[in-house]
Amino acid sequence: GGSKYYVRISSDGLNWTETEINAKQKLSIACSNEKGLLVMAGDQGQYSVSSDGINWTNHETNSSYIWRKICYVEMINKFLCVGLNGMISVSTDGGKTEPIDIINLNKNILLIGISSWINNLTIYINDAEGSMLTSIDGYEWHLETEKIGITTSMAYSAKHNRFVVVGKFNRLYVSNDGKTWFANLTNLPYYLHSVVWSDELEMFVAVGQNGLIYDSSDGLNWNRQTNNLTQSLWSIRWISEIEKFIVVGNSDFLISSDGLNWSSVALPTGHAVGDATIDTNIIYADGKLFTTDFSRSQNNFLRIYVSEDEGLTWTIQNIEMQNVYSIGGHIYHSAEKNLFFILHFE
């Protein structure tokens, strides 16, 4: 655990100021533009809430609670937090929480992930078989019998009302309700790390190890794309503002406007992206693309990759953080305040 917490704030994602904040260990952060709030959660049952990223108010809950993931869920207009011992908490403002006791849930289980879509809210459970909880309101949860494995990414198509999941297994799973899943693309040669759906192009694209790329118009029939890539592809996002797919690879960014033809943009020598960026947040804000890579192997620094020309060229900012750990290694953006945030601790 850490003892000192800091927030870096920027109005353009290029120039940063650092401020120490009063908080206990925080492992996850959520940003709600609708509420104009940032909320952090972590060990020792404490939440911290801020409207500007600089001034934080701490809220205590049961000190035995160990939170691992918090997010703002637009469909229920609330913050949702999950953690150790099967704990789930719901909050309207990030301060007053409503712990939920999950009936018949293994209390030794660690809840680590949250994904949500219209009329479907899913929590992934980090056990050996990848159990899953589902809810439509955040209060009543159902422990699904289907166990598909540890997932790293999920995409949803409203057109087909279909979910696609990839993860640490050599297959791809598909569901029409987020509850009942069937295996598709069994016996994949490598893991698929990340999958995304484009409303504009009406297609799924999934990427993974050793340059693996698949595309599909319906989530059922998939085409493996032919390429000469050998690097791992960690993350893919469809950026609707510029109508392009952006892929973060080990040594290159891949860019495509149709999901079929890709341009490769090499990173500067010595700046290979580490696997900590699996399914990291690629964001588009203020006319720029951003993604991050946190490395503890070389003097603890956070690299911020920035493109101001829709991914054609990238610059790298190295933020030195000796003996400091980034919270998630991510950069966050509040559209309501037009500010960028990075949180980290010693």
Side-chain angles (χ1 to χ4, degrees):
S3 58
K4 291 185 179 180
Y5 289 79
Y6 303 88
V7 60
R8 293 176 186 261
I9 300 177
S10 173
S11 60
D12 58 8
L14 303 175
N15 301 286
W16 298 85
T17 58
E18 181 184 76
T19 302
E20 183 176 351
I21 58 179
N22 177 29
K24 294 181 181 178
Q25 182 169 348
K26 295 297 179 290
L27 301 174
S28 182
I29 181 172
C31 175
S32 167
N33 291 318
E34 290 80 1
K35 295 180 179 294
L37 293 174
L38 291 162
V39 181
M40 290 190 292
D43 286 356
Q44 303 177 50
Q46 187 192 72
Y47 297 89
S48 295
V49 184
S50 175
S51 61
D52 59 9
I54 299 176
N55 301 293
W56 293 81
T57 300
N58 296 326
H59 296 278
E60 303 288 341
T61 61
N62 191 313
S63 62
S64 65
Y65 296 168
I66 299 177
W67 304 113
R68 280 296 181 265
K69 182 69 174 180
I70 186 170
C71 75
Y72 173 73
V73 183
E74 185 175 357
M75 60 174 277
I76 60 173
N77 193 30
K78 293 180 184 293
F79 292 95
L80 185 67
C81 194
V82 301
L84 192 64
N85 300 324
M87 285 303 304
I88 300 176
S89 184
V90 180
S91 175
T92 300
D93 59 7
K96 298 178 180 178
T97 61
E98 306 166 57
I100 299 170
D101 185 25
I102 302 300
I103 299 175
N104 297 326
L105 180 64
N106 184 343
K107 294 302 181 181
N108 295 320
I109 262 172
L110 171 63
L111 305 178
I112 60 168
I114 307 168
S115 297
S116 61
W117 293 267
I118 296 175
N119 295 326
N120 191 89
L121 184 61
T122 304
I123 293 186
Y124 303 112
I125 303 175
N126 187 23
D127 68 356
E129 298 177 278
S131 299
M132 184 180 295
L133 287 168
T134 60
S135 172
I136 60 173
D137 61 7
Y139 292 94
E140 294 186 10
W141 294 87
H142 179 63
L143 181 60
E144 306 297 342
T145 57
E146 189 79 19
K147 297 182 179 182
I148 62 176
I150 305 302
T151 64
T152 55
S153 181
M154 178 186 282
Y156 172 70
S157 165
K159 176 184 178 181
H160 301 288
N161 191 30
R162 186 162 294 137
F163 301 83
V164 174
V165 162
V166 298
K168 296 181 179 180
F169 32 76
N170 292 93
R171 54 198 177 279
L172 176 149
Y173 280 97
V174 178
S175 172
N176 290 327
D177 60 8
K179 298 180 179 181
T180 302
W181 297 85
F182 63 91
N184 199 341
L185 291 183
T186 56
N187 299 317
L188 287 169
Y190 312 106
Y191 290 166
L192 288 169
H193 293 310
S194 184
V195 61
V196 70
W197 165 263
S198 165
D199 279 328
E200 288 81 356
L201 297 183
E202 298 185 342
M203 68 185 301
F204 289 99
V205 180
V207 300
Q209 292 176 317
N210 289 63
L212 201 60
I213 302 178
Y214 279 86
D215 65 82
S216 173
S217 61
D218 58 8
L220 300 177
N221 301 288
W222 291 83
N223 168 62
R224 181 178 178 179
Q225 298 184 13
T226 302
N227 60 50
N228 295 319
L229 298 172
T230 58
Q231 63 175 306
S232 286
L233 306 176
W234 299 118
S235 179
I236 182 171
R237 289 289 186 272
W238 169 254
I239 310 297
S240 58
E241 293 90 340
I242 60 176
E243 296 193 344
K244 289 183 179 180
F245 290 101
I246 305 293
V247 175
V248 180
N250 231 36
S251 57
D252 298 76
F253 288 99
L254 302 182
I255 304 165
S256 176
S257 58
D258 61 8
L260 302 173
N261 300 286
W262 298 89
S263 299
S264 180
V265 179
L267 296 177
T269 302
H271 286 85
V273 174
D275 61 7
T277 58
I278 290 180
D279 208 37
T280 190
N281 58 339
I282 304 169
I283 64 173
Y284 181 80
D286 196 33
K288 309 180 190 73
L289 287 163
F290 297 87
T291 190
T292 55
D293 175 33
F294 180 65
S295 172
R296 290 191 290 272
S297 62
Q298 298 180 17
N299 297 323
N300 296 329
F301 59 86
L302 178 71
R303 287 186 291 236
I304 304 176
Y305 302 86
V306 184
S307 175
E308 301 186 63
D309 55 9
E310 301 185 357
L312 298 178
T313 59
W314 296 79
T315 58
I316 297 177
Q317 300 180 60
N318 284 321
I319 298 180
E320 296 290 341
M321 295 191 295
Q322 185 69 35
N323 298 320
V324 172
Y325 298 81
S326 168
I327 298 180
H330 291 334
I331 181 172
Y332 303 87
H333 180 255
S334 169
E336 190 264 343
K337 300 184 181 302
N338 195 29
L339 290 174
F340 297 87
F341 302 90
I342 298 174
L343 289 112
H344 55 92
F345 63 90
E346 291 183 348

